[in-house]
Amino acid sequence: MHKLIAGVDEVGRGPLVGDVVTAAVILDPANPIVGLTDSKKLSEKKRIALAAEIKAKALYWHIGRATPEEIDILNILHATMLAMKRAVEGLAVTPDFVRVDGNRLPDWPYAAEAVVKGDSLYAEISAASIIAKVERDNDMLALDELHPEYGFAGHKGYPTKAHFEALATHGVIDGYRKSFKPVKALLQEIQ
């Protein structure tokens, strides 16, 4: 019997708006997926295709999140750790081992290792990075439908010049991380 190894990665630590999204994935060694790598190295089209394949072929997968309110209360690092815990706890089985992309681990009971650039080294972390990225991008597309004036479909919530201009023009809406400096500064200007 093979060990159940979960890969975990996050997307969305840097944006000014929306949840930080994580994924935990346990791949099926008998059902390999070709083309897994760091989600940032893939085109959007390839990521979307791979995300569907991962969800179909993986033994188990689960998305974890932390909300903007949780990010504001805990800070982005601790909120990311919380979202990672939620992703692993949401799996239908308890993994034997967990590999996390990055240099630190959440406080949890699992045997685990943090692997810098793990999304390029381990297929299970690559898979987690891909489905987390597609999930978060979908969040931004949904937000763009509600508020097209902000351009979320283009910048995905990251602090770009166009995003700052939209924020200055239209103000802070629900879903923004109020503890993040540019948003906090804008809110202080308004008061």
Side-chain angles (χ1 to χ4, degrees):
M1 165 93 180
H2 61 273
K3 285 175 81 171
L4 294 174
I5 300 173
V8 177
D9 202 359
E10 58 71 29
V11 176
R13 285 178 66 160
L16 304 176
V17 65
D19 295 351
V20 62
V21 177
T22 62
V25 178
I26 299 175
L27 293 173
D28 182 354
N31 208 355
I33 300 167
V34 177
L36 294 178
T37 187
D38 172 4
S39 65
K40 294 180 285 302
K41 295 178 181 172
L42 298 167
S43 69
E44 183 176 17
K45 186 177 176 185
K46 184 70 175 160
R47 272 195 309 270
I48 291 167
L50 278 169
E53 188 177 356
I54 292 160
K55 289 176 177 181
K57 290 184 174 179
L59 292 173
Y60 306 98
W61 62 272
H62 193 77
I63 299 291
R65 297 170 169 275
T67 65
E69 294 78 18
E70 289 171 322
I71 292 166
D72 290 339
I73 292 165
L74 299 172
N75 79 33
I76 188 62
L77 173 65
H78 290 98
T80 301
M81 295 294 126
L82 176 62
M84 286 181 174
K85 284 171 86 166
R86 288 173 174 163
V88 176
E89 287 167 359
L91 292 168
V93 297
T94 300
D96 298 309
F97 193 74
V98 183
R99 285 195 179 105
V100 176
D101 185 55
N103 62 1
R104 56 179 56 194
L105 295 170
D107 181 19
W108 59 17
Y110 311 104
E113 69 176 335
V115 184
V116 174
K117 301 212 182 300
D119 50 4
S120 295
L121 299 170
Y122 290 101
E124 60 272 14
I125 299 177
S126 300
S129 109
I130 291 164
I131 64 170
K133 173 78 171 130
V134 170
E135 182 82 6
R136 177 150 164 98
D137 284 357
N138 287 340
D139 290 354
M140 291 297 101
L141 294 174
L143 195 58
D144 190 70
E145 294 260 322
L146 294 173
H147 303 282
E149 66 277 14
Y150 287 84
F152 294 121
H155 55 65
K156 304 291 195 279
Y158 284 90
T160 64
K161 185 174 184 274
H163 190 181
F164 285 135
E165 287 169 1
L167 199 50
T169 303
H170 303 291
V172 177
I173 57 171
D174 280 349
Y176 271 94
R177 301 170 181 182
K178 294 173 180 63
S179 60
F180 277 38
K181 280 183 186 158
V183 180
K184 194 176 191 175
L186 190 61
L187 289 170
Q188 286 170 342
E189 275 177 35
I190 296 166
Q191 291 174 348

